[in-house]
Amino acid sequence: MKLVVQVRLLPTSEQAAALEATLRAVNAAATWVSALAHDRRVFRNYDLRRHAYGQIKDTYGLAAQAAQHVIKKVADAYATLHANVRNGNVGKPGSARRERALATPIVFRPGAAHPFDDRCLSWRMNARMVSIWTTRGRMRSVAFTASAEQLQRLAAYRKGESDLLYRDGMWFLIATCDVPDRPVAAPDGFLGVDLGIVNIATTSGGVRYSGKGLNAVRHRHRELRRRLQAKQTKSAKRLLKKRRRKEARFAADTNHTIAKRIVTEATRTGQGIALKDLQGIRDRVRLRKPQRVTLHSWSFHQLGSFIAYKAARAGVALVHVDPAYTSQACSSCGHVDTRNRPGQATFSCTSCGFAEHADVNAARNIASRGVAVWAVSHAADDAA
């Protein structure tokens, strides 16, 4: 399992200037390579090297390994773009958005993150310093800080490239750690988790994590952004810049807390975790205009990914199930009817009379499907 560890660099003013010059140079080179790749329709890493490698070194003053990383960075960016086009994430065929994405070369911001491998970056864990290549020479004593847990993980599991990142006046290194997976224990049933907007998450055990507070924070931030953007003054722009990502950090912290509690409950009870497969929900769901902002700011994918990696670290089984009719089916008798759901929070079966909170009922249906998915998948493994 791959995890990322973010450490903060503490460069001197001279070191910071060198790091800034380096990021500007590699991203300027990447933008040039991107335009070349787009113009000549050459997107593969090794093919692109024949067209760009020598000129990158001569024009932008990059070392050999840095030039290779620039080309690979561009190739990866176009691979991601083309994958998104194939999957329909940038609009339907013939749409203006899709045509614009294909017609315009990818541009890299001057401060965009850039990867460094072990030839360009070395770690001195005991001294809490890194040695990093820059366009102004090798900086051998750039200090960094991290928590004790992060230092331990870096020392034990760091592997591969690390990304240099400048954000909000601070320098960071994002390091990849290859942590061994824990063996997944055979689950004693499944804990179903229903994700929603009114209740961010509801478990089949009856625990509900309300989204009221998070939605209130989102609404407050949205209204404040609207008012500040309308003012168009320098002070308003400064405040907008200061507050950016604040809402995202709050939402991520909330999702981390919920995910940790769900995984802890599954670990304590010896159960696996069953989640709805919500891929493509934004394209499938049709809502009135006032509701669209709420849906598209709903970070269910992030919560699902947090639950997934925390479950993997704890050795808890995780399955994704078909979400169809989980909110309309009775978890007691299985009867499916739209009239079973007379209100957002109410479930009352028209067949057997079973009544329960609607989200808890849906979570129990998800749990039942999780048992079935696990049985089918492991029956296939046993047969193989």
Side-chain angles (χ1 to χ4, degrees):
M1 175 176 56
K2 293 189 182 297
L3 298 176
V4 295
V5 174
Q6 176 179 280
V7 300
R8 182 178 174 184
L9 296 179
L10 303 172
T12 64
S13 57
E14 180 184 356
Q15 292 171 340
L19 293 176
E20 182 180 3
T22 301
L23 271 192
R24 288 186 175 276
V26 295
N27 284 307
T31 298
W32 177 81
V33 174
S34 173
L36 177 69
H38 185 270
D39 181 56
R40 300 189 181 184
R41 313 307 296 172
V42 177
F43 302 112
R44 291 180 67 250
N45 185 10
Y46 292 103
D47 295 338
L48 199 51
R49 286 181 186 178
R50 294 199 298 268
H51 296 278
Y53 177 72
Q55 194 164 345
I56 291 175
K57 293 182 64 179
D58 296 339
T59 304
Y60 297 95
L62 304 186
Q65 196 66 10
Q68 301 276 23
H69 276 297
V70 166
I71 296 171
K72 183 177 182 297
K73 176 178 176 178
V74 173
D76 290 346
Y78 275 107
T80 300
L81 172 63
H82 294 153
N84 284 327
V85 170
R86 287 194 303 271
N87 295 332
N89 296 333
V90 291
K92 298 178 181 179
S95 67
R97 180 186 175 197
R98 182 187 179 112
E99 295 302 320
R100 185 167 57 250
L102 291 174
T104 308
I106 295 175
V107 176
F108 295 86
R109 293 180 294 103
H114 189 74
F116 287 77
D117 63 11
D118 288 342
R119 296 182 184 181
C120 302
L121 174 70
S122 59
W123 297 75
R124 293 160 54 196
M125 300 303 301
N126 293 334
R128 296 194 186 182
M129 290 185 178
V130 295
S131 173
I132 186 171
W133 171 88
T134 72
T135 53
R136 298 181 182 179
R138 188 90 177 188
M139 297 290 173
R140 300 187 180 278
S141 301
V142 182
F144 71 89
T145 183
S147 68
E149 180 183 0
Q150 289 175 321
L151 290 172
Q152 183 180 7
R153 186 173 297 163
L154 282 171
Y157 303 119
R158 189 197 64 80
K159 186 177 181 180
E161 299 174 349
S162 301
D163 289 347
L164 178 65
L165 173 66
Y166 182 73
R167 184 177 63 210
D168 297 336
M170 296 176 286
W171 290 95
F172 298 94
L173 277 174
I174 313 296
T176 303
C177 294
D178 196 356
V179 180
D181 290 335
R182 286 188 59 178
V184 177
D188 181 17
F190 275 82
L191 181 70
V193 181
D194 181 53
L195 305 181
I197 297 176
V198 175
N199 291 311
I200 300 175
T202 304
T203 70
S204 54
V207 180
R208 300 199 301 271
Y209 300 94
S210 174
K212 184 177 180 180
L214 178 58
N215 290 331
V217 170
R218 288 191 184 282
H219 178 74
R220 186 169 68 249
H221 280 274
R222 188 162 60 244
E223 287 300 305
L224 180 58
R225 284 197 300 270
R226 182 185 62 80
R227 292 198 300 270
L228 291 174
Q229 288 167 355
K231 285 183 178 297
Q232 291 290 314
T233 61
K234 288 185 177 180
S235 59
K237 292 177 181 179
R238 281 197 300 269
L239 186 56
L240 277 170
K241 184 177 180 180
K242 180 180 179 180
R243 296 184 64 85
R244 63 180 178 175
R245 287 192 289 272
K246 189 171 184 179
E247 177 186 338
R249 290 195 298 268
F250 177 81
D253 180 70
T254 301
N255 283 338
H256 270 299
T257 302
I258 294 172
K260 184 176 181 179
R261 290 177 180 174
I262 289 172
V263 173
T264 300
E265 181 180 352
T267 304
R268 178 180 57 82
T269 58
Q271 296 175 296
I273 298 175
L275 295 173
K276 290 193 292 188
D277 183 2
L278 295 176
Q279 186 173 3
I281 188 174
R282 288 191 172 96
D283 297 325
R284 296 195 306 268
V285 175
R286 295 292 180 266
L287 296 173
R288 293 182 295 110
K289 191 172 183 179
Q291 296 174 309
R292 293 174 194 166
V293 173
T294 303
L295 175 69
H296 289 279
S297 62
W298 178 36
S299 54
F300 61 87
H301 175 75
Q302 184 187 70
L303 176 56
S305 66
F306 287 174
I307 293 174
Y309 93 79
K310 291 179 190 295
R313 289 177 63 184
V316 173
L318 177 74
V319 296
H320 290 84
V321 305
D322 184 359
Y325 305 111
T326 51
S327 62
Q328 299 175 11
C330 177
S331 60
S332 178
C333 70
H335 176 65
V336 179
D337 194 329
T338 56
R339 294 174 297 174
N340 287 348
R341 187 81 181 267
Q344 186 278 325
T346 306
F347 183 90
S348 180
C349 182
T350 57
S351 177
C352 69
F354 173 76
E356 180 57 276
H357 189 283
D359 292 341
V360 175
N361 176 76
R364 289 177 180 172
N365 287 328
I366 294 168
S368 299
R369 294 187 185 186
V371 173
V373 169
W374 179 265
V376 170
S377 63
H378 280 68
D381 292 341
D382 294 340

